[in-house]
Amino acid sequence: MITINNILDVTKYLDNLDGIIFDLDDTLYSEKEYVKSGYVAIEKEFLNIKNMSQKLWNAFWKNKNAIDYVLKQEGLLTEENKSKALKTYRNHIPNIHLYEGVERMLKQIGEDEKKIGLITDGRPIGQKNKIKALKLESYIKEIIITDELGGIEYRKPNPKAFELMKERLKISFEKMVYIGDNIKKDFIAPEKLGMKTIYFKNEEGLY
């Protein structure tokens, strides 16, 4: 495993590799930005709560269950309100951006005739909205959202997504690399399968 502190340093380690597979959250963009975007979306649905997005963000930083915490503080914690807030958060079209330089990096990898893939965990609607907002389909050949393979049991470290990516790209595991930020789960399957791995030690990431 190679460790990097800047996602753009990935390009230093791609010689002799044909398949470059990325994680999504906190690898290509900031998940904190997504969280903030979701809180802004919730605020628009609860106009009776002043500064709700900031209150949710403050609760998030206190490691609280932000939605429950803020609704309870405002005396509005009901199943209906909680469901409304969660649905808004999970389904909103996020205001998020690729890390600086990532778009250019993806273009360059593609121009170098390497195939780019994406394997990400998470609820399909939310992950698809992120992918759309980031315009990733312009650069990435194959995208796998693990939950779509049959449920949360297919999330990393389940190897199924990596095996499927190999089939789709028609590249041997030895010629593929997986780049992710979560040391606890991202690299177990790809290393067992014989893939190269790059750990993006993201100091600003949630993990």
Side-chain angles (χ1 to χ4, degrees):
M1 180 189 296
I2 294 166
T3 300
I4 58 175
N5 297 105
N6 184 327
I7 189 60
L8 303 184
D9 286 342
V10 161
T11 57
K12 298 176 182 178
Y13 304 101
L14 303 184
D15 291 346
N16 302 316
L17 293 172
D18 298 323
I20 318 303
I21 319 303
F22 289 94
D23 172 48
L24 177 59
D25 301 311
D26 275 339
T27 298
L28 297 179
Y29 84 101
S30 170
E31 194 165 4
K32 289 176 185 174
E33 190 178 31
Y34 176 79
V35 172
K36 282 185 178 180
S37 175
Y39 291 165
V40 169
I42 291 172
E43 181 174 83
K44 292 175 182 176
E45 297 295 322
F46 290 85
L47 297 176
N48 54 323
I49 301 179
K50 188 177 180 180
N51 299 323
M52 187 173 188
S53 63
Q54 187 59 51
K55 289 175 179 176
L56 287 165
W57 184 245
N58 292 342
F60 173 80
W61 276 106
K62 293 176 182 175
N63 290 318
K64 304 289 186 182
N65 187 326
I67 290 173
D68 285 28
Y69 181 81
V70 172
L71 288 175
K72 186 175 182 180
Q73 290 290 102
E74 298 293 326
L76 294 170
L77 181 56
T78 65
E79 283 303 315
E80 182 181 358
N81 282 338
K82 180 178 177 179
S83 177
K84 177 182 175 182
L86 282 172
K87 184 176 180 180
T88 299
Y89 182 89
R90 292 170 178 170
N91 296 343
H92 84 288
I93 303 298
N95 179 21
I96 54 177
H97 309 82
L98 293 170
Y99 284 129
E100 186 175 354
V102 165
E103 182 180 10
R104 185 172 64 253
M105 176 186 73
L106 293 174
K107 285 181 179 178
Q108 185 59 57
I109 293 172
E111 288 170 3
D112 290 341
E113 299 186 350
K114 298 179 186 296
K115 295 178 180 179
I116 305 175
L118 181 79
I119 294 176
T120 178
D121 293 338
R123 294 179 178 85
I125 291 176
Q127 297 309 94
K128 285 180 178 179
N129 286 343
K130 294 172 187 176
I131 289 162
K132 182 178 179 180
L134 296 169
K135 300 181 174 65
L136 286 174
E137 289 175 312
S138 301
Y139 314 106
I140 297 178
K141 181 177 176 63
E142 293 290 347
I143 294 173
I144 296 175
I145 299 170
T146 56
D147 283 27
E148 291 190 312
L149 301 180
I152 61 173
E153 63 265 33
Y154 287 94
R155 293 182 182 182
K156 295 169 283 184
N158 189 305
K160 179 63 177 179
F162 297 94
E163 294 166 347
L164 186 58
M165 185 64 72
K166 174 183 179 290
E167 292 175 15
R168 290 183 180 180
L169 295 183
K170 295 179 173 59
I171 297 172
S172 68
F173 286 126
E174 292 74 19
K175 289 288 187 178
M176 293 167 62
V177 62
Y178 189 65
I179 302 109
D181 71 294
N182 190 329
I183 195 71
K184 293 182 179 178
K185 69 170 185 175
D186 281 344
F187 310 111
I188 295 170
E191 288 187 342
K192 284 183 178 178
L193 293 169
M195 291 174 62
K196 306 292 190 297
T197 54
I198 298 177
Y199 168 40
F200 173 29
K201 191 176 182 181
N202 188 348
E203 298 296 342
E204 295 298 317
L206 294 183
Y207 298 102

